[in-house]
Amino acid sequence: MNAPLDLALQPATNSHLIAELQSVGLRLADPGAGAPSRRGGAGPTDHKAVTIDGHTVMIPVHTAGSWSSPYVAEAPQADGTSRIVRDGVELAVVSFPRQPRFYKLETADGIPYSKIATLHGADVLATTVLQTCIRYESRRKMCQFCAIGQSLAAGRTIARKTPQQLAEVARAAVELDGVRHMVMTTGTPNATDRGAQILCESAAGVKAAVDLPIQGQCEPPDDDAWFVRMRDAGIDALGMHLEAVTPEVRARIMPGKASVPLERYFDAFEAAVAVFGRGQVSTYILAGLGDTPQAILDTSARLVEMGVYPFVVPFVPVTGTPLEDHPAPDAAFMRGVLEPLAGMLEADGMRSGEIKAGCGRCGACSTLSTYEKRPA
C-alpha cells in the first residue's frame, strides 16, 4: 500500500507527485480528455499523456491499480486544464496533449495513420515496425510483461508497417503536429539480426521523406556490423533494452530474451557507443520486477561508464499479461534509484536533453529527467 504524500510538500514537489501517479495510477473523470489512451500493445500502454509543470508524462489509467487510485483528474475546464485532487485537496493543475491532427488521415492504401504510428508524450512519434515476435509466440519464452500481440489481435494496428507507410505518416506528423523525434521498435523476428534489418529499411524510408531524428530499438544483433548499417540507414540513436539486470530475474521474467546473455548486451553496448557516440545508446530498465535498487544502480554505474544512458522506469502491469497482478514499485523505491542515478549521469555529463531521439530524450515514462534538472 502506498503511503500518502505529504500534502504540505506537494506544491513544490511535483516530481514526487508524478512518481506517485506513475506508481498507483490516475482515475479520469473524463476518459476522453486529450489524446486517446491505448489499451494493450507494445510500448507505453494503458497510459494517458498528462502535462504537469510543462513536463509531459505517461500515467497509468487503465490498469487495475489505477481504477482504485486515490488520485482523480477532474473533467477539463474550458481552457483545457484539469485539477488533480486527492480526498478533495487540489494537488496540481494539469493539461492533456490534444489528439494529433495526423490521426484523422489515412495512407494511400487506406490504412488509418494511427495504425501505423502513434503520438507518445507531447512530440514523439512511435511505431512498432513489426508487431509480431518469436518470443511472444510461446508462453514459455515470452516476456511476461509484454502485450505486443494485444493491439494486433484487436485490430488497432497492422503486423508490418512498410517504409513507405512510415514515411508518409512521419512527414504528416512533423508538418501537422510538430513532432520532433521518432521511436522505432520491433518485435524480434529471428535469432540473428534480431530486427536490425527491418529497422534499417524503415529508417531509410522515413529519412528519404523527412528530416526527423530516429531512435531504433532492438535486441543486440549477432553481428556488430549492424550498428554501422543502422547508423548509415538514418538511425541517430539506439536502444537495446535490458529490462531486468540480474540473471535470475531475467530468466524468470523473460525466459526467451534471457537466452541472449548479459555479457552479449555489454559487448554490444561497447560496439554501439563506438558508432553512435556516448549518450546516444540507451537501455530501458524496468524497476519493480525483482531486481534490488542496488543491483539496478550497480548495473547503471557500469552502463554510464561505458557511455550508455540507463533509462530506468517503473514497471506498470498491463491487463492480459502474465504480470497483470504484479505490483508496481512505490514512489519511495523509484526515488531511491533515480536520485543517485541522476547524480551518476550528472557526474558523467550525460543528460537526457542531449539524446538525439528516443525514450530517454522523451522522458515521459520516468521522473529521471526531473531529477537531472534539479539544481545542486
Side-chain angles (χ1 to χ4, degrees):
M1 192 75 175
N2 291 76
L5 291 171
D6 181 346
L7 297 180
L9 294 177
Q10 285 167 357
T13 57
N14 273 338
S15 62
H16 289 185
L17 175 60
I18 294 168
E20 183 80 358
L21 293 173
Q22 288 186 329
S23 174
V24 304
L26 178 67
R27 287 186 288 138
L28 301 173
D30 178 7
S37 52
R38 299 170 59 238
R39 294 176 183 262
T45 189
D46 290 4
H47 289 62
K48 170 78 77 172
V50 181
T51 301
I52 303 177
D53 280 349
H55 184 67
T56 299
V57 294
M58 302 302 289
I59 303 297
V61 296
H62 297 306
T63 61
S66 65
W67 299 333
S68 58
S69 172
Y71 301 98
V72 179
E74 295 181 342
Q77 303 296 312
D79 63 358
T81 62
S82 170
R83 298 193 318 153
I84 292 183
V85 299
R86 175 172 179 158
D87 299 328
V89 178
E90 178 182 314
L91 305 180
V93 176
V94 305
S95 61
F96 301 96
R98 60 178 173 78
Q99 177 170 314
R101 285 177 282 184
F102 77 85
Y103 276 21
K104 298 178 180 179
L105 305 178
E106 294 184 349
T107 64
D109 48 356
I111 298 173
Y113 278 12
S114 60
K115 291 189 176 185
I116 305 298
T118 58
L119 183 71
H120 283 195
D123 59 5
V124 187
L125 186 66
T127 184
T128 302
V129 178
L130 180 68
Q131 201 83 25
T132 60
C133 178
I134 58 171
R135 317 282 193 214
Y136 194 79
E137 303 307 319
S138 168
R139 282 279 174 172
R140 292 179 301 171
K141 296 180 180 179
M142 70 176 290
C143 297
Q144 302 295 290
F145 50 76
C146 183
I148 191 173
Q150 289 188 14
S151 52
L152 181 61
R156 294 192 297 269
T157 187
I158 61 174
R160 173 71 187 271
K161 290 81 172 176
T162 69
Q164 295 76 21
Q165 290 168 336
L166 292 167
E168 187 179 339
V169 175
R171 182 171 56 244
V174 170
E175 293 175 353
L176 296 177
D177 295 284
V179 160
R180 296 184 179 181
H181 57 116
M182 184 173 188
V183 176
M184 287 183 180
T185 189
T186 178
T188 301
N190 56 53
T192 52
D193 71 72
R194 300 193 175 99
Q197 177 65 50
I198 291 172
L199 291 177
C200 286
E201 296 167 359
S202 302
V206 169
K207 282 295 179 73
V210 62
D211 184 15
L212 184 64
I214 297 171
Q215 182 192 50
Q217 298 178 353
C218 63
E219 294 182 42
D222 62 343
D223 187 343
D224 290 345
W226 280 109
F227 299 132
V228 172
R229 295 170 191 154
M230 286 192 278
R231 180 199 63 192
D232 292 349
I235 292 173
D236 301 282
L238 181 66
M240 294 184 289
H241 297 338
L242 288 169
E243 271 93 26
V245 302
T246 54
E248 58 271 23
V249 176
R250 296 184 79 232
R252 174 171 55 85
I253 298 294
M254 41 188 188
K257 191 171 179 179
S259 65
V260 182
L262 284 169
E263 285 312 309
R264 171 57 194 144
Y265 272 85
F266 281 96
D267 289 345
F269 288 141
E270 184 176 14
V273 169
V275 173
F276 291 96
R278 291 183 64 84
Q280 302 307 323
V281 178
S282 63
T283 191
Y284 215 88
I285 296 174
L286 293 170
L289 292 177
D291 292 317
T292 66
Q294 192 58 54
I296 295 172
L297 289 170
D298 289 345
T299 299
S300 295
R302 182 179 178 186
L303 291 164
V304 170
E305 185 177 5
M306 298 176 70
V308 176
Y309 186 93
F311 188 53
V312 179
V313 307
F315 164 73
V316 175
V318 177
T319 303
T321 66
L323 293 183
E324 65 179 356
D325 295 321
H326 187 89
D330 63 26
F333 184 103
M334 293 307 302
R335 188 162 57 249
V337 173
L338 297 181
E339 283 185 339
L341 174 55
M344 293 181 201
L345 292 165
E346 182 70 26
D348 195 82
M350 198 182 301
R351 302 186 70 85
S352 60
E354 296 173 1
I355 302 174
K356 294 177 182 177
C359 295
R361 174 177 167 181
C362 170
C365 293
S366 173
T367 56
L368 177 57
S369 62
T370 67
Y371 286 103
E372 287 178 16
K373 294 171 183 174
R374 288 182 174 184

